[in-house]
Amino acid sequence: MSSYLDQLNAVQRGAVTTVEGPVLVIAGPGSGKTRVLTFRIAHLIEQGIAPWEILALTFTNKAAREMKDRIEKVVGTRAQKVWAGTFHSIFARILRGEADKIGYPSNFTIYDTDDSKSLLRNIIKELNLSKDQYNENAILTRISSAKSNLISPLAYEQNAELMAQDKQTKRPFLHRIYSEYVSRCKRAGAMDFDDLLFQLYVLLHQNPDIADKYRQRFRYLLVDEFQDTNYLQYCIVKKLVVYPNSPQNICVVGDDAQSIYAFRGATIDNILDFKKDFPLLQTFKLEQNYRSTQHIVEAANHVISYNRRQIQKNIWTSKTDGQKIKVVKTQSDQEEAKRIADLIQEQKNRYHFRNADFAVLYRTNAQSRPFEEAMRRLNLPYRVYGNMSFYARKEVKDVLAYLRLIVNQNDDEALRRIINTPRRGIGDATLEKIALLAASKSQTLWQTLPEYQGTAREKNALQNFIAMMKAFITKSLKSNAYEIASYVLKQSTMMDNLKQDTSLEGTGRLENVNALLDAISSFSEEDELTDDIIMPDKSLSTYLQNIALVTDADNSDPNADVVTLMSVHSAKGLEYKSVILSGLEEDLFPSFMSKDTPEGLDEERRLFYVAITRAEEFLTLTYAANRYRHGQMKQCDPSRFLNEIPMESTDSLGGLAPIRRESSAPQTSRVSGNFSRAVTPQTVINPSDFKAAKPEDIEIGHKVLHMKFGEGKVIAIEGAKDNRVATIHFKDLTDQPQRKIMLKFAKLQIQG
């Protein structure tokens, strides 16, 4: 047996070695999901599958890099030839080679959110529409939703329901904005993030030969975090996998209980209904949690049992009970922040933890301010996760805009940004006149610059700008990315201007630009293995594509010894020794925007489940009796989620009672829409008569008694010695009667 397979438990091994046909891996928190994914790919390669015939789709570049690194430890450098990356990066890579089939240049620009908003503002202005009524953020969200549901501008206009919704929200011309936005992007040779998915679907749908090419190319497809996919992503996956005589070699890995991105289009139905599309599906449930202690796992299981639609599973851990979950009530959000900072300091001293062992989580980013103040008070170094990305800083975006325009002269948004940066006498008024002329001729700004008949001063400034850009373009033909970036900074006088500003802010901007140059230099010098289809190079175009798809998660330094402050959404996939979850109040968590619909409340509960399961050893839940919201101090009620945690798993901190509970009431759960279904066993057990058997004496078929769950029957046992785990069916439990229990901690009395 291969050594890497020996590192897997029985269920993990089954998921890794079942390589033919459709496979669904339900991966509970801390259950070794990444190990299964990476070992599965390694196993495919070891079985003789060419690495470039394997496509693995992830949601972060960081996850893809980690995957390749782990595979390389098993199969060597062959791992680098696996097509592993985010949906957007892999699809952008394919589109680079096939863009001409759908009318785009191969060096198309990728617009970020700021570019898209800027373009929308200009369109709204040109159409003489109210910028308040047609807010670019709302419009962009609407367009993104349309693309994610495969609705083109024409289909949008023909959809009576969508048009009625726009009329109701007093945006009857939204379809015109959408149509013009798509037209302008294509004219500029640009795709936004949604286009990387939408246009790939169009490519595959309109070109059956191209679809067949990539179906033959990718014989084995894997999707990580499948519960986070949207309708369009799943449509593309099916395009690649579902076709006549397809072997349907697809493996999706995810956890319906961690589906928390409905607000950006993810649909939990993809994972819940996966078997409908793949009737021959084989399912593996990874239920052993290697991360958290017993109290944390029990709390998470109990909380998620309240949700209606879900794939049934029973997460268990071999770790001891550990510390109970601390529940802390404070009088205000300021006191909450102070108590949390004090708790971190106390745990650091008592358990010799590093700052990096702590995470403070909250439902909304707006809650971070008091925590920052409290951290500074105790000199605790911290990082607010989700702050402005390095690539979102003005000076960095200015340099990148020059580089984008060099690669694609039709990129209107890049030209708008740098035509007067540094100042060269081409003001907003001049640019506005050029833009109107360009719109009248259906041209790009670059095409229109030589035709503009302005003042002698304006024409001279424009001619100098055009000459400078043409020199940059010529230089780029024989230079790598670092050489052209350095040349641009010098010749445009941007570097000189930055050096002249000796203020603290100016020094910071110069440091950011130098850091960008360092990153470009590293890219230009780094060796990379390639495959035989698309040859990555060190050109400026390739560099711009890479950084256009970088996320905050990719930029974070995992070795920085700082306390992490972040939203629960940002914490998904991470783990910490000590997690403090704050703001557990009604209308905050669950959010007032989501709690009034069954689907919304279920998602909020899944978000709470994700937060709980980030903790390895210590979990603290806090709430405030009063909190400043919208400029006013408001009285708060504790979150309903606190009442969904078993009392035996919680403790109070500092003598404060956690929350009001009916002391005589049994613990209840809400499953499939039924309220207050008791999970307390009907069997009455006298503790003085209870005698726990030795773990090694318990065998399959034994009838047993458990102090909490009542009477049960052992139906399966796996593992050996101290790691034996029994699957027991408890007759009194109407909610999830089948439980997995680690025998060395079980305390079971044999009945017969």
Side-chain angles (χ1 to χ4, degrees), residues 26-171:
I26 301 298
S31 62
K33 169 180 74 75
T34 304
R35 172 174 289 189
V36 167
L37 260 175
T38 55
F39 281 16
R40 181 180 173 88
I41 295 172
H43 188 68
L44 285 170
I45 296 172
E46 289 289 272
Q47 296 302 301
I49 306 301
W52 52 83
E53 294 180 330
I54 302 169
L55 172 61
L57 297 169
T58 68
F59 276 85
T60 67
N61 294 308
K62 181 180 177 182
R65 284 196 300 269
E66 181 183 354
M67 190 184 297
K68 282 193 173 184
D69 289 344
R70 289 199 186 190
I71 300 167
E72 189 168 358
K73 291 178 180 177
V74 180
V75 301
T77 56
R78 289 178 293 170
Q80 295 303 317
K81 294 187 178 183
V82 172
W83 280 57
T86 65
F87 281 87
H88 291 89
S89 64
I90 292 291
F91 294 171
R93 185 177 176 186
I94 294 173
L95 284 166
R96 291 287 176 197
E98 313 287 354
D100 61 305
K101 312 294 191 307
I102 51 173
Y104 281 85
S106 61
N107 63 344
F108 61 82
T109 298
I110 299 175
Y111 275 178
D112 65 15
T113 303
D114 287 343
D115 295 321
S116 295
K117 288 180 181 178
S118 174
L119 176 54
L120 285 171
R121 281 194 296 271
N122 289 317
I123 293 171
I124 291 165
K125 184 176 181 180
E126 290 171 17
L127 293 176
N128 292 316
L129 298 173
S130 167
K131 64 180 181 180
D132 295 325
Q133 195 171 337
Y134 290 88
N135 175 274
E136 69 265 16
N137 291 308
I139 303 300
L140 185 59
T141 299
R142 187 72 165 170
I143 291 173
S144 176
S145 177
K147 289 182 180 178
S148 295
N149 285 283
L150 277 177
I151 301 172
S152 67
L154 180 60
Y156 190 104
E157 188 175 356
Q158 294 174 344
N159 188 306
E161 183 179 352
L162 293 175
M163 296 296 285
Q165 290 172 358
D166 290 344
K167 191 173 182 180
Q168 187 175 6
T169 56
K170 298 181 179 179
R171 295 174 185 145

Side-chain angles (χ1 to χ4, degrees), residues 343-545:
L343 173 66
I344 291 172
Q345 191 70 274
E346 177 191 341
Q347 288 187 348
K348 278 183 64 178
N349 294 336
R350 179 176 295 183
Y351 303 107
H352 307 291
F353 284 173
R354 300 168 64 240
N355 295 310
D357 293 328
F358 295 90
V360 179
L361 308 183
Y362 33 76
R363 178 62 181 82
T364 67
N365 285 314
Q367 293 169 249
S368 70
R369 182 192 54 78
F371 298 121
E372 293 188 65
E373 294 172 356
M375 297 296 155
R376 286 196 291 266
R377 177 179 59 84
L378 293 183
N379 291 319
L380 288 169
Y382 67 91
R383 178 192 62 182
V384 181
Y385 196 100
N387 265 11
M388 181 181 287
S389 162
F390 172 79
Y391 290 102
R393 290 175 168 84
K394 179 186 181 303
E395 59 277 8
V396 173
K397 287 180 74 72
D398 288 344
V399 177
L400 293 177
Y402 270 103
L403 303 183
R404 280 169 45 183
L405 193 60
I406 290 169
V407 170
N408 176 14
Q409 290 83 61
N410 291 328
D411 186 344
D412 282 355
E413 296 310 309
L415 188 146
R416 282 180 181 276
R417 186 174 190 96
I418 53 91
I419 195 169
N420 202 38
T421 303
R423 294 186 183 279
R424 52 177 63 93
I426 307 173
D428 291 342
T430 302
L431 183 57
E432 190 63 31
K433 294 173 189 174
I434 297 169
L436 289 172
L437 179 60
S440 69
K441 295 189 172 188
S442 296
Q443 295 181 163
T444 65
L445 295 178
W446 177 259
Q447 292 168 333
T448 309
L449 291 184
E451 302 175 8
Y452 177 67
Q453 299 298 317
T455 65
R457 181 182 176 186
E458 288 174 333
K459 291 176 71 174
N460 184 59
L462 288 172
Q463 287 170 359
N464 289 338
F465 175 73
I466 293 169
M468 179 184 68
M469 289 306 305
K470 285 184 175 179
F472 292 165
I473 294 165
T474 301
K475 175 77 172 175
S476 70
L477 299 177
K478 52 186 177 182
S479 304
N480 65 26
Y482 174 73
E483 290 166 344
I484 187 59
S486 301
Y487 185 74
V488 165
L489 278 165
K490 181 179 179 181
Q491 297 301 319
S492 69
T493 72
M494 278 189 68
M495 187 62 87
D496 288 341
N497 285 7
L498 288 166
K499 289 178 179 178
Q500 288 171 11
D501 185 352
T502 57
S503 67
L504 185 61
E505 293 81 5
T507 302
R509 285 191 285 271
L510 179 60
E511 289 174 351
N512 288 334
V513 169
N514 281 323
L516 176 64
L517 283 175
D518 290 342
I520 298 174
S521 176
S522 175
F523 165 83
S524 299
E525 296 173 3
E526 192 176 71
D527 291 330
E528 184 175 352
L529 287 170
T530 63
D531 60 55
D532 59 346
I533 290 295
I534 299 175
M535 300 291 290
D537 54 37
K538 302 306 172 185
S539 69
L540 190 54
S541 178
T542 303
Y543 171 74
L544 291 172
Q545 175 188 323

Side-chain angles (χ1 to χ4, degrees), residues 152-285:
S152 67
L154 180 60
Y156 190 104
E157 188 175 356
Q158 294 174 344
N159 188 306
E161 183 179 352
L162 293 175
M163 296 296 285
Q165 290 172 358
D166 290 344
K167 191 173 182 180
Q168 187 175 6
T169 56
K170 298 181 179 179
R171 295 174 185 145
F173 300 110
L174 197 150
H175 68 283
R176 286 185 60 189
I177 299 173
Y178 181 17
S179 180
E180 187 64 20
Y181 173 79
V182 169
S183 177
R184 294 282 187 92
C185 282
K186 193 160 189 177
R187 187 190 307 164
M191 296 188 194
D192 63 18
F193 292 139
D194 294 308
D195 281 327
L196 296 176
L197 308 180
F198 188 91
Q199 296 300 339
L200 182 74
Y201 183 87
V202 169
L203 172 72
L204 299 176
H205 184 69
Q206 294 182 353
N207 299 272
D209 57 324
I210 302 296
D212 285 340
K213 171 183 173 180
Y214 286 98
R215 287 165 180 166
Q216 296 303 316
R217 171 75 176 179
F218 303 128
R219 294 173 53 204
Y220 293 84
L221 194 152
L222 300 91
V223 184
D224 189 15
E225 302 289 4
F226 186 63
Q227 77 283 344
D228 294 336
T229 54
N230 62 26
Y231 173 77
L232 176 52
Q233 286 167 324
Y234 188 33
C235 283
I236 294 171
V237 166
K238 286 192 286 188
K239 274 281 183 188
L240 293 171
V241 175
V242 181
Y243 55 90
N245 301 317
S246 167
Q248 297 190 349
N249 292 329
I250 179 173
C251 173
V252 300
V253 182
D255 181 7
D256 59 296
Q258 297 185 65
S259 178
I260 60 173
Y261 293 118
F263 69 94
R264 67 184 191 199
T267 171
I268 194 173
D269 291 339
N270 287 351
I271 191 167
L272 293 180
D273 299 335
F274 190 63
K275 189 175 179 63
K276 292 180 181 178
D277 290 322
F278 297 93
L280 299 179
L281 183 70
Q282 298 184 72
T283 300
F284 298 88
K285 296 181 181 180

